[in-house]
């Protein structure tokens, strides 16, 4: 019975189905805000659903000749599965902080790598030069943001008394102040915000897909169902990233009364920050991104760690 | 009974090895049968000893050999890898079966002897014996490159061996015993600290930790592939980390300074070696650098001084042996079938070698620390060890944690490059008729890849409670949560449903089309091999600085020592001019000096 409960929570709520719907809605918010920034009207709220349903049901799925079809089709599914697992874990630990569902913060950090990994392997498997190029950019980008990302992750861990369980991180913040309410917390929050910008593949760090240069990179050979599943994986990840940050910096999502409104506002704040960064910056080159993440951002995250040592 | 089995399991393989050595090449069936039979037997003996532990020889009071929780676990590991490499070699090896299996069996006996030894002198003897068998095995094919690699390995390992003899001398001086179970040295005095350092250096050289690592990539590139999978990838790791664990868990009472040395060595090894791996052009050499980098996690885990860190380090040791031998053996299949390990020539083999590709992928994901495979669990435990030591006032914990986690991201990067360059990407025209692994080779790599999955998914059911935690012999408290079985179940469910969706949501809409690259057929022109993936970030600091230093061989202790020695011997060389009269003059002058001394003293 317990297993069936797990499978239900993974597939339906709060896992795949729920997170996909939320992710597509978040995608609509993204498109709408972007449109407003650019003085356009923007699409209706159901536009993303229509797009995905079209891909999943109506468009044909093309297989590039001479590739390992198993790998080619496995990767979108793997990306969606691992993204759903991340969202299931994150929402479960926020709903029941004491339960300790499946994994801790280290596990989630590693599971969040998997969609990128699947994207890269999918790109590699499609035997297209543009896909290989894009996937190698994705890998280099991952290398670059991973260093400041880990360093900024250290601050919430330190602030919550060296805990890695989400339950402890949440309850410790409620007992002795939110991570964001400290100098080190603020610095590491902004560093992590830029890192997740790259993790989500948003401009200015979308050089892996770079439509105008390498024609969507790893996605170039994907079409139909496989592309639709990749899009869903991406939507789920975009939906869950702000929740990951709320858990680490704002003491998790509060489901009771007015607290829920605050949590939603925090969510919208993080999301809109990401969208605004996306809309006010041009795409950077990969070596510029690496220099940016290993240079100033790593320096800032080290400052945050040192401040956290001194208790600020 | 059990005590005799200890002796048999050490000396029977050595005797059988000597027997195989004298077998002529015509009788390769006999050599093969003997090798399989003896390795199976020694696995049975290792399991028997594991069940009957603790066992002593000749008796408990003055034991020369001890089989306890730690050494029986190492013994099983050694026997399993010997058996697997034997099976693999049946398919891989083409000639010289007698010699190959002779060395393999002698190594097996020597390794078991080193693992079970309780007397330091016996340990040194077997340790030295293993350095010799390593030399012989690497130099099997006697090419110039292999000979150079074998020489380098022998000099580094035997040199550190000599240091260990010095350390054992110090230990005897301080404790007046050679029995490892009696030694409990506090690291308070200078001499005991030196003794610890020498033993740690011996274990670093064996396992391949920096700065004693430089033999390993050379051996990996130029040595025979089964030998690389057998010694540097598995047995040397098991023994090196075994000695380090034995030294730091029981022989010495560790303090902050000694732990700090391990932490520094561990972190530096992880990050530097994987950075070197990133830009290699040869499949086996790249894997060799990873065999160095992964030692860092084991050393780091032991260096945390926490129970969970040590357990993580030991678990990583066995996990590393599994996935790294799997990686070497699968690349052996590629080498054998495609005839090259040059990354720029390979590519697109996944469709042609599905079994090899799948096993390689599983092992690559394991070494990259991707859940739910085995490498993730042990790395996760090491991270927890580091975080736990943070609350015990280990102020530099952030450095250790970040280098371990960032090192793992770099590992992912270099395996992405490998997967692209060897198995994925555009197939190269040269390898359109390559076949998959034969029966023996496929059997071995499938077993190893399954072990990666089983040790990962059922980590808390099979390997940890049975093998690792008894060996650490301390209570372990996890500070994190990881339920690999549930997570795997869910991801698998997702994958199955995804494939059902592919098949049953309007299944008629699949079509095969040629790859689209601007609408032209530029197949060979637009082939990306993957070797050049990281060239665009090579110049960026700190990578640029590290590569420049590596280019100047500043990390190669062998090269530095060679430079140092040549700087003395340059002057001595001048004396050797090959002219007979000048040698006679030297002799005459020497005699005159000797007579003068004799004359003046007496």
């Amino acid at each position: 019975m317990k297993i069936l409960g797990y499978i239900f929570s993974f597939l339906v709520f709060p896992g795949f189905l729920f997170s996909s719907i939320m992710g597509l809605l978040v995608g609509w918010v993204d498109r709408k805000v972007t449109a407003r920034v650019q003085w356009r009207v923007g699409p209706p709220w159901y536009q993303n659903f229509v797009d995905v349903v079209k891909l999943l049901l109506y468009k044909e799925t093309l297989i590039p000749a001479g590739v390992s079809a198993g790998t080619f089709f496995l990767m979108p599914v793997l990306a969606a599965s691992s993204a759903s697992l991340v969202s299931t874990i994150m929402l479960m630990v926020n709903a029941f902080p004491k339960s300790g569902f499946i994994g801790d913060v280290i596990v989630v950090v590693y599971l969040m790598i998997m969609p990128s990994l699947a994207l890269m392997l999918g790109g590699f498997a499609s035997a297209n030069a543009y896909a290989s190029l894009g996937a190698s950019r994705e890998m280099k980008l991952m290398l670059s943001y991973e260093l400041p990302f880990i360093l900024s992750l250290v601050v919430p861990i330190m602030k919550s008394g060296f805990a890695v369980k989400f339950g402890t991180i949440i309850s410790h913040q409620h007992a002795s102040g939110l991570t964001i309410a400290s100098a080190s917390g603020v610095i590491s929050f902004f560093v992590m915000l830029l890192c997740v910008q790259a993790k989500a593949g948003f401009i200015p760090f979308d050089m892996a897909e770079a439509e105008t240069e390498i024609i969507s990179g790893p996605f170039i050979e994907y079409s139909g169902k496989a592309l639709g599943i990749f899009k869903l994986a991406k939507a789920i990840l975009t939906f869950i990233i702000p929740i990951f940050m709320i858990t680490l910096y704002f003491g998790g999502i509060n489901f009771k009364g007015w607290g829920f409104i605050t949590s939603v506002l925090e969510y919208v704040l993080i999301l809109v920050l990401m969208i605004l960064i996306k809309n006010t910056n041009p795409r950077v080159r990969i070596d510029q991104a690496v220099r940016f993440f290993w240079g100033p951002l790593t320096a800032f995250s080290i400052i945050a760690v040192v401040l956290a040592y001194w208790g600020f | 009974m059990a005590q005799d089995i200890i002796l048999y399991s050490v000396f029977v393989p050595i005797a059988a090895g000597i027997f195989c050595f004298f077998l002529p090449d015509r009788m390769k069936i006999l050599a093969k049968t003997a090798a399989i039979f003896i390795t199976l037997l020694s696995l049975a003996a290792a399991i028997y000893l594991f069940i009957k532990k603790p066992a002593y020889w000749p008796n408990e009071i003055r034991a020369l050999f001890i089989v306890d929780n730690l050494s029986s676990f190492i013994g099983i590991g050694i026997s399993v890898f010997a058996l697997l490499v034997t099976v693999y070699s049946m398919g891989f090896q083409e000639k010289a079966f007698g010699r190959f299996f002779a060395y393999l069996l002698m190594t097996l006996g020597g390794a078991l002897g080193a693992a079970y030894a309780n007397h330091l002198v016996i340990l040194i003897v077997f340790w030295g014996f293993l350095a010799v068998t390593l030399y012989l095995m690497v130099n099997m094919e006697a090419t110039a490159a292999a000979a150079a690699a074998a020489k380098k390995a022998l000099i580094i390992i035997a040199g550190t061996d000599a240091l260990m003899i010095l350390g054992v001398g110090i230990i005897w001086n301080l404790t007046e015993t050679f029995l490892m179970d009696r030694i409990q040295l506090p690291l308070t005095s200078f001499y005991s600290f030196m003794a610890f350092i020498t033993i740690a250096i011996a274990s670093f050289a064996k396992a391949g930790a920096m700065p004693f690592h430089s033999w390993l990539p050379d051996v990996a590139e130029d040595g025979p592939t089964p030998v690389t999978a057998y010694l540097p990838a598995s047995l040397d790791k098991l023994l090196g980390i075994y000695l380090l664990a034995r030294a730091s868990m029981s022989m010495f009472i560790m303090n902050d300074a000694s732990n700090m040395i391990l932490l520094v060595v561990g972190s530096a090894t992880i990050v530097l070696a994987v950075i070197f791996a990133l830009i290699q052009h040869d499949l086996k050499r790249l894997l060799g650098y990873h065999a160095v980098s992964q030692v860092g996690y084991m050393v780091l885990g032991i260096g945390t001084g926490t129970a969970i860190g040590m357990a993580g380090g030991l678990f990583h040791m066995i996990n590393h042996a599994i996935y790294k031998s799997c990686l070497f053996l699968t690349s052996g299949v590629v080498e054998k079938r495609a005839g090259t390990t040059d990354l720029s020539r390979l590519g697109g083999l996944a469709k042609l070698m599905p079994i090899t590709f799948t096993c390689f992928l599983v092992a690559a994901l394991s070494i990259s620390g991707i859940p739910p495979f085995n490498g993730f669990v042990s790395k996760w435990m090491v991270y927890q060890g580091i975080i736990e030591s943070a609350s015990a006032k280990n102020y530099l914990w952030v450095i250790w944690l970040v280098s371990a986690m960032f090192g793992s991201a770099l590992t992912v990067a270099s395996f992405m490059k490998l997967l692209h360059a060897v198995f994925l990407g555009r197939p190269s025209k040269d390898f359109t008729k390559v076949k998959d692994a034969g029966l023996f080779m496929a059997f071995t790599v499938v077993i190893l890849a399954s072990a990666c999955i089983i040790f990962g998914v059922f980590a808390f059911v099979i390997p940890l409670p049975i093998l690792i935690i008894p060996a650490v012999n301390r209570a372990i408290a996890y500070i994190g949560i990881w339920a690999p079985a549930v997570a795997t179940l869910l991801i698998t469910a997702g994958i199955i449903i995804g494939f059902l969706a592919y098949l049953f949501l309007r299944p008629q809409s699949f079509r095969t089309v040629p790859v689209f690259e601007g609408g032209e057929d530029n197949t060979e022109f637009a082939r990306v091999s993957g070797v050049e993936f990281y060239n665009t970030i090579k110049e960026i600091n700190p990578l640029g600085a590290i590569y420049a230093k590596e280019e100047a061989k500043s990390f190669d202790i062998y090269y530095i020592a060679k430079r140092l020695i040549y700087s003395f011997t340059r002057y001595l060389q001048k004396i050797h001019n090959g002219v007979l009269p000048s040698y006679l003059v030297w002799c005459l002058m020497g005699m005159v000096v000797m007579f003068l001394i004799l004359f003046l003293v007496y």
Side-chain angles (χ1 to χ4, degrees):
Chain A
M1 267 333 278
K2 211 174 167 188
I3 292 291
L4 285 181
Y6 281 142
I7 291 182
F8 177 79
S9 60
F10 172 70
L11 290 178
V12 182
F13 182 85
F16 176 71
L17 194 64
F18 173 74
S19 304
S20 308
I21 293 170
M22 293 307 286
L24 293 175
L25 286 175
V26 166
W28 170 73
V29 173
D30 173 20
R31 289 172 78 166
K32 192 78 184 171
V33 173
T34 307
R36 296 313 300 160
V37 170
Q38 297 168 348
W39 297 97
R40 290 186 285 117
V41 180
W45 68 269
Y46 54 82
Q47 183 65 51
N48 282 329
F49 294 94
V50 177
D51 289 351
V52 165
V53 168
K54 177 189 74 180
L55 283 175
L56 287 180
L57 293 184
Y58 296 103
K59 286 287 173 185
E60 54 177 357
T61 308
L62 305 179
I63 309 170
V67 306
S68 156
T71 321
F72 184 76
F73 284 115
L74 173 66
M75 290 309 154
V77 176
L78 187 65
S81 288
S82 45
S84 310
L85 187 59
V86 172
S87 77
T88 316
I89 293 176
M90 287 317 300
L91 291 169
M92 288 297 259
V93 292
N94 271 293
F96 312 103
K98 291 203 178 65
S99 71
F101 187 76
I102 293 187
D104 55 26
V105 62
I106 304 174
V107 173
V108 166
V109 166
Y110 273 82
L111 283 174
M112 283 204 301
I113 292 180
M114 275 173 83
S116 311
L117 213 65
L119 177 62
M120 284 180 244
L121 286 172
F124 290 167
S126 38
N128 188 308
Y130 292 114
S132 297
L133 201 61
S136 88
R137 287 186 186 182
E138 172 83 21
M139 186 64 242
K140 284 179 271 197
L141 185 66
M142 198 173 113
L143 272 190
S144 63
Y145 67 68
E146 206 65 13
L147 182 63
F149 182 72
I150 298 163
L151 272 166
S152 53
L153 188 68
V154 163
V155 173
I157 292 178
M158 265 162 110
K159 288 280 171 194
S160 54
F162 305 110
V164 290
K165 285 181 193 160
F166 281 115
T168 326
I169 291 176
I170 291 171
S171 60
H172 202 279
Q173 288 188 67
H174 287 304
S176 49
L178 304 181
T179 316
I180 192 77
S182 60
S184 58
V186 172
I187 299 175
S188 82
F189 173 80
F190 281 105
V191 171
M192 193 178 274
L193 190 69
L194 287 165
C195 293
V196 296
Q197 189 89 8
K199 228 182 213 332
F202 278 10
I203 302 170
F205 305 114
D206 70 332
M207 61 290 273
E209 291 164 36
E211 289 84 355
T212 44
E213 298 150 17
I214 51 170
I215 328 168
S216 292
F219 293 119
I220 186 169
E221 293 293 337
Y222 277 102
S223 54
K225 290 185 203 109
L227 183 63
I229 296 173
F230 253 140
K231 293 271 178 214
L232 283 180
K234 203 148 187 207
I236 296 171
L237 205 65
T238 320
F239 162 63
I240 210 66
I241 278 172
I243 291 182
F244 177 71
M245 295 192 65
I246 289 175
T247 314
L248 291 182
Y249 290 95
F250 293 93
I253 292 180
N254 197 336
F255 287 97
K256 288 189 208 86
W258 289 105
F260 187 65
I261 309 274
T262 335
S263 298
V264 172
L265 286 178
E266 287 159 2
Y267 186 93
V268 172
L269 172 81
I270 296 175
L271 189 66
V272 169
L273 271 177
M274 285 172 75
I275 295 169
L276 285 182
I277 296 173
K278 178 177 164 177
N279 278 300
T280 48
N281 286 282
R283 180 185 307 136
V284 295
R285 269 201 327 265
I286 184 69
D287 59 319
Q288 291 169 328
V290 175
R291 285 208 172 85
F292 174 67
F293 279 113
W294 287 358
L297 270 202
T298 303
F300 274 116
S301 52
I302 289 172
I303 292 171
V305 170
V306 172
L307 285 176
Y309 264 121
W310 290 335
F312 291 110
Chain B
M1 179 62 188
Q3 60 254 51
D4 297 332
I5 297 274
I6 302 177
L7 271 199
Y8 291 145
S9 62
V10 175
F11 289 106
V12 168
I14 295 181
I18 294 170
F19 167 73
C20 283
F21 187 79
F22 290 108
L23 280 181
D25 233 14
R26 273 178 287 121
M27 300 166 82
K28 61 183 177 197
I29 296 294
L30 196 57
K32 283 182 184 176
T33 324
I36 280 284
F37 182 68
I38 297 291
T39 43
L40 268 176
L41 213 59
S42 77
L43 179 59
I47 292 172
Y48 177 81
L49 288 174
F50 184 81
I51 296 163
K52 290 279 176 189
K53 73 195 168 182
Y56 306 90
W57 187 88
N59 52 46
E60 196 177 335
I61 301 120
R62 280 193 58 82
L64 300 182
F65 290 100
I66 286 189
V67 178
D68 59 6
N69 286 335
L70 181 56
S71 58
S72 61
F73 153 53
I74 302 288
I76 287 193
I78 291 169
S79 315
V80 167
F81 288 106
L83 178 62
L84 288 175
V85 172
T86 308
V87 174
Y88 181 86
S89 314
M90 305 260 174
F92 188 88
Q93 208 67 15
E94 278 163 4
K95 53 180 196 299
F97 282 94
R99 258 192 325 137
F100 180 78
F101 286 125
Y103 299 151
L104 191 143
L105 290 175
M106 283 196 242
T107 308
L108 169 63
L112 287 172
Y116 295 151
N118 185 45
H119 194 283
L120 283 169
V121 175
I122 296 177
L123 177 74
I124 288 176
V125 170
F126 282 116
W127 208 259
F129 180 71
L130 285 170
V132 175
T133 57
L134 172 68
Y135 176 83
L136 292 171
M137 287 191 95
V138 173
N139 202 12
M140 276 279 296
E141 283 156 20
T143 58
K151 190 177 86 180
K152 193 172 184 179
L154 182 68
I155 287 177
I156 291 178
I157 292 178
T160 53
D161 221 8
L163 272 181
M164 183 163 77
I165 294 175
L166 188 69
V168 168
I170 298 173
I171 292 175
W172 192 82
N173 229 320
L174 294 174
T175 60
E176 303 206 330
T177 177
F178 281 125
L179 299 178
M180 288 157 83
D181 59 340
R182 302 261 186 87
I183 300 168
Q184 265 218 320
L185 258 165
L187 291 174
T188 42
S189 74
F190 173 75
Y191 289 110
S192 59
F193 202 78
M194 279 301 118
F196 171 75
I197 297 288
T198 55
I199 292 199
I201 285 178
S203 67
F204 290 163
K206 195 81 168 170
M210 282 200 171
F212 305 95
H213 67 286
S214 55
W215 61 276
L216 217 156
D218 289 8
V219 166
E221 185 178 3
D222 298 317
T225 313
V227 172
T228 320
Y230 183 45
L231 277 163
S234 44
L235 255 57
D236 284 348
K237 293 283 176 293
L238 291 175
L239 288 171
I241 297 303
Y242 160 74
L243 184 65
L244 189 66
R246 182 67 92 190
S248 56
M249 277 162 35
S250 70
M251 278 164 63
F252 296 95
I253 300 163
M254 301 288 278
N255 58 20
D256 286 349
S258 60
N259 277 333
M260 180 65 84
I261 290 173
L262 297 187
L263 291 168
V264 170
V265 168
S267 323
T269 305
I270 292 174
V271 176
L272 289 175
V274 74
I275 285 177
F276 302 151
L278 219 49
I279 53 158
Q280 298 304 319
H281 297 269
D282 184 88
L283 170 59
K284 283 159 67 187
R285 190 172 180 83
L286 198 156
L287 292 177
Y289 273 110
H290 279 290
V292 175
S293 160
Q294 297 293 312
V295 184
Y297 289 96
M298 309 166 205
V299 175
L300 203 58
I302 292 173
T304 60
T306 56
I308 185 163
M310 286 189 178
L314 286 178
F315 192 27
H316 202 69
M317 168 191 79
I318 193 76
N319 287 341
H320 172 272
I322 294 169
Y323 55 63
K324 188 47 66 62
S325 50
C326 185
L327 289 168
F328 272 119
L329 295 177
T330 42
S331 42
V333 177
V334 171
E335 184 189 12
K336 194 160 177 66
R337 294 290 188 242
T340 180
T341 52
D342 183 355
L343 292 178
S344 57
R345 293 187 53 210
L346 294 164
L349 293 179
K351 206 176 165 68
L352 303 167
M353 319 174 99
I355 300 174
T356 312
F357 168 62
T358 312
C359 294
F360 189 93
L361 181 66
V362 167
L365 294 177
S366 304
I367 193 175
S368 310
I370 300 299
F373 298 106
N374 60 356
F376 174 72
V377 185
S378 46
K379 280 184 186 173
W380 175 76
M381 286 169 73
V382 172
Y383 302 155
Q384 288 182 55
I386 298 171
I387 294 172
E388 199 182 302
S389 76
S391 32
K393 302 225 162 33
N394 180 354
Y395 289 117
L396 296 173
W397 70 284
V398 177
I399 300 177
W400 320 135
L401 183 70
V402 170
S403 47
M405 289 184 79
F406 186 53
S408 135
L410 289 162
T411 311
V412 176
S414 63
F415 275 94
M416 284 299 123
K417 168 179 159 178
L418 267 192
L419 281 165
H420 182 273
V422 181
F423 292 105
L424 299 171
R426 179 80 49 83
S428 166
K429 283 250 163 68
D430 312 344
F431 307 115
T432 43
K433 292 199 173 61
V434 173
K435 281 203 295 266
D436 206 346
L439 179 66
F440 288 122
M441 294 199 277
F443 172 80
T444 320
V445 293
V446 167
I447 292 268
L448 286 166
S450 328
C452 286
I453 297 172
I454 292 169
F455 273 32
V457 176
F458 302 107
F460 301 103
V461 187
I462 300 169
L464 282 166
I466 297 176
L467 297 172
I468 313 291
I469 292 170
V472 175
N473 213 358
R474 283 205 248 163
I476 289 190
Y478 299 100
I479 57 172
I481 302 166
W482 171 227
V486 180
T488 316
L489 179 81
L490 296 183
I491 290 189
T492 320
I495 290 174
I496 291 171
I497 289 171
F499 271 94
L500 291 179
Y502 279 136
L503 290 177
F504 295 110
L505 287 178
R506 281 170 57 89
Q508 71 279 19
S509 62
F510 284 94
R511 188 155 62 93
T512 304
V513 291
V515 170
F516 183 84
E517 283 165 342
E520 261 183 279
D521 179 25
N522 39 13
T523 322
E524 278 300 300
F525 164 67
R527 198 174 97 83
V528 177
S529 94
V531 176
E532 59 290 310
F533 271 2
Y534 303 112
N535 286 359
T536 44
I537 58 168
K538 227 168 118 175
E539 302 295 318
I540 297 171
N541 278 328
L543 289 189
I546 292 171
Y547 288 136
K549 283 250 185 290
E550 165 74 355
E551 201 84 341
K553 298 201 172 186
S554 308
F555 293 108
D556 186 348
I557 201 164
Y558 179 76
Y559 180 77
I560 295 167
K562 204 164 92 179
R563 287 273 301 271
L564 205 69
I565 289 166
Y566 279 161
S567 66
F568 306 139
T569 52
R570 207 173 50 220
Y571 301 106
L572 296 178
Q573 270 174 0
K574 284 185 182 156
I575 301 167
H576 288 274
N577 56 3
V579 182
L580 189 61
S582 62
Y583 285 89
L584 285 176
V585 171
W586 281 111
C587 291
L588 203 68
M589 276 163 63
M591 264 160 71
V592 169
V593 172
M594 272 158 63
F595 277 122
L596 268 177
I597 292 169
L598 285 176
F599 187 71
L600 291 177
V601 173
Y602 300 102

